[in-house]
Amino acid sequence: MDIVLGNVWLLFFNLIILLPMLYSIFASDSRIWTYQSISIISVLFILVLNISSGLVTFYSESAFFKVFLVLLWQISLIVTTICVFYLVFNELKEKYLRYQVNNDWLYGIPGFIEIAVLIVLSLFSADARYSDLVSSIASVSIYVVINFYIMLGAFLCYKSSLYNLDFDIKYIARKHLYYYTVLCIAFFIEQVVFSNASVGTSYVVFLLFHYMTKSKTMISQDSLSGVNNRVSFNKYINNVFLSKEHDGAYIVYIDIDKFKHINDTYGHIEGDEAISLVGKTLKSIAGETNSFVARIGGDEFVMIIKTTEEEKIKKVIQNISFELEERIIFSDKQYDLTVSCGYIEVKKNQKNIKELMVKADESMYIEKLKKNSEVADGAV
């Protein structure tokens, strides 16, 4: 009975953590059934089933009811594992992958196969001759599947921390790699050392860490374009250039061409779409070059590229134009969307970043005037 009372306390403690999270999800997202909300509800279901299983052990002799509760607990555990994996995977995909991946559902196949296996095993578990064997097979298979998703998630986070990420997104991947590592250790200890430890509580801690990490990135991220905001940009400049020595870089100032015309002609919703498309493009290019990109206001963006080679900067600017053109074609917009770019070199240990920003801005406007002049000459 002490175990039951302990599980009741765990449920109460975890409710204090999870219910505010669940409320904030429902309040901020028009969709009720998200991976995060399903994960939280599944964890609560696991905790409730822990209590129910204990009560049934004391007060009921029905083998069928015991098997049914265990099966529900096992399925809830697998569902939580899958949702937690997709919760992190979708955030990483949204941040650093260039295009949508259409076969995401393939990652869910091992989990759903495991659920089917558990259902089949439960049909034999009521038979005393097979109950021990079935219990052992189920425990091993659940442990393998859970660790498969943990290891896969950790690998994707590790990969994401190395490739196609900017300064702010590296933080997300590294934090989740750490959380996955802790979760893996926690599950190992629970399975090997503590027979009565609560798996649900480990997931509660993971979800809490994820929620805190996501809250931090929301503070530093521009919601419209998806890149870093001005606060994050100022922090980056201070950390990389002002507070310590550096090896030099290039500041690239980027401005959307004829943005006012897009707003006036097609409406502000299309104007927001234009900013979003440019943001996705710059985020993709920043990932490929391991650079930092931020929106600093209106239709203006800044990219910091750590290189001393001017030719590389010219190549990056060219790639921005090519990829943006490609995105416009696939998005089937009624207007052309281009950007003007100007750049300036930050020499080794140079600190006057504000002055250099002004020069990069001036360089961008020279490029914009040059474009307008070429268009005017072509029209004549």
Side-chain angles (χ1 to χ4, degrees):
M1 196 64 184
D2 290 341
I3 294 175
V4 175
L5 293 175
N7 286 329
V8 171
W9 161 246
L10 280 176
L11 175 62
F12 174 74
F13 178 75
N14 290 317
L15 278 172
I16 296 173
I17 298 173
L18 292 177
L19 288 182
M21 291 170 56
L22 194 62
Y23 173 78
S24 67
I25 294 167
F26 290 159
S28 61
D29 200 325
S30 58
R31 299 169 301 162
I32 295 177
W33 299 110
T34 63
Y35 286 117
Q36 193 167 13
S37 64
I38 295 173
S39 299
I40 292 173
I41 292 170
S42 297
V43 167
L44 291 175
F45 205 54
I46 290 171
L47 296 169
V48 170
L49 287 171
N50 283 340
I51 299 171
S52 302
S53 298
L55 291 173
V56 167
T57 301
F58 279 101
Y59 299 112
S60 176
E61 297 180 358
S62 172
F64 171 79
F65 196 46
K66 291 178 182 178
V67 169
F68 179 69
L69 284 178
V70 169
L71 178 62
L72 282 181
W73 182 87
Q74 292 169 337
I75 292 175
S76 299
L77 189 57
I78 297 300
V79 169
T80 303
T81 303
I82 295 172
C83 289
V84 165
F85 169 79
Y86 275 107
L87 182 65
V88 178
F89 174 73
N90 282 347
E91 187 168 1
L92 291 174
K93 183 183 71 173
E94 176 189 345
K95 302 293 183 186
Y96 80 89
L97 292 184
R98 184 181 298 186
Y99 302 114
Q100 294 294 321
V101 181
N102 295 322
N103 56 352
D104 294 356
W105 58 272
L106 291 174
Y107 289 113
I109 290 178
F112 291 114
I113 290 176
E114 173 63 13
I115 290 174
V117 169
L118 291 172
I119 292 173
V120 172
L121 288 174
S122 68
L123 299 177
F124 297 92
S125 60
D127 192 326
R129 294 174 299 173
Y130 304 113
S131 59
D132 291 340
L133 177 62
V134 167
S135 178
S136 298
I137 293 173
S139 297
V140 171
S141 63
I142 289 172
Y143 185 74
V144 168
V145 169
I146 289 176
N147 279 281
F148 163 77
Y149 279 108
I150 292 175
M151 295 298 181
L152 181 59
F155 169 74
L156 290 175
C157 288
Y158 174 74
K159 182 180 176 183
S160 304
S161 69
L162 296 179
Y163 306 109
N164 297 330
L165 293 172
D166 66 18
F167 176 80
D168 192 50
I169 300 165
K170 282 182 182 291
Y171 170 84
I172 299 172
R174 287 170 180 170
K175 282 291 183 182
H176 281 99
L177 175 59
Y178 170 73
Y179 301 155
Y180 268 124
T181 304
V182 172
L183 190 62
C184 184
I185 295 171
F187 274 136
F188 175 78
I189 293 173
E190 287 173 352
Q191 289 288 323
V192 176
V193 181
F194 302 109
S195 59
N196 292 320
S198 173
V199 175
T201 301
S202 296
Y203 273 127
V204 170
V205 174
F206 185 93
L207 289 170
L208 178 62
F209 284 155
H210 170 81
Y211 184 79
M212 293 167 63
T213 303
K214 190 171 183 178
S215 297
K216 181 187 180 301
T217 58
M218 288 175 67
I219 293 171
S220 62
Q221 188 181 74
D222 177 62
S223 59
L224 183 56
S225 63
V227 301
N228 298 287
N229 58 22
R230 189 164 195 125
V231 173
S232 185
F233 171 74
N234 291 335
K235 188 187 299 183
Y236 180 86
I237 291 297
N238 183 67
N239 291 340
V240 175
F241 294 113
L242 302 182
S243 62
K244 61 182 180 181
E245 295 182 350
H246 60 87
D247 295 327
Y250 272 87
I251 297 174
V252 182
Y253 211 97
I254 303 151
D255 187 86
I256 301 176
D257 296 327
K258 299 179 180 178
F259 181 69
K260 186 177 184 303
H261 171 74
I262 295 173
N263 262 336
D264 293 343
T265 307
Y266 301 100
H268 289 283
I269 293 177
E270 279 298 329
D272 290 347
E273 280 287 320
I275 290 174
S276 178
L277 278 171
V278 172
K280 289 177 181 177
T281 302
L282 296 178
K283 187 191 298 184
S284 172
I285 299 297
E288 292 173 359
T289 57
N290 198 28
S291 305
F292 178 88
V293 62
R295 180 184 174 212
I296 58 172
D299 59 335
E300 298 176 337
F301 298 81
V302 172
M303 185 179 288
I304 310 293
I305 305 173
K306 290 185 177 180
T307 183
T308 56
E309 302 174 18
E310 187 175 1
E311 287 302 315
K312 183 177 180 180
I313 301 303
K314 292 179 179 178
K315 182 68 174 176
V316 168
I317 292 173
Q318 188 180 53
N319 289 342
I320 291 172
S321 298
F322 287 159
E323 183 167 331
L324 186 56
E325 182 180 358
E326 186 177 318
R327 286 182 182 274
I328 283 293
I329 292 172
F330 283 106
S331 61
D332 196 28
K333 296 296 182 184
Q334 301 176 3
Y335 51 84
D336 292 328
L337 183 61
T338 59
V339 294
S340 294
C341 304
Y343 60 88
I344 193 75
E345 183 180 6
V346 182
K347 298 189 181 298
K348 185 176 180 179
N349 297 328
Q350 198 169 2
K351 304 293 185 183
N352 58 333
I353 304 300
K354 287 185 178 179
E355 295 176 18
L356 294 175
M357 286 282 294
V358 172
K359 291 181 179 179
D361 187 23
E362 291 171 352
S363 173
M364 180 273 296
Y365 272 105
I366 290 172
E367 176 65 22
K368 188 180 285 284
L369 290 172
K370 183 180 175 182
K371 277 186 180 180
N372 293 338
S373 176
E374 289 174 355
V375 170
D377 291 342
V380 174

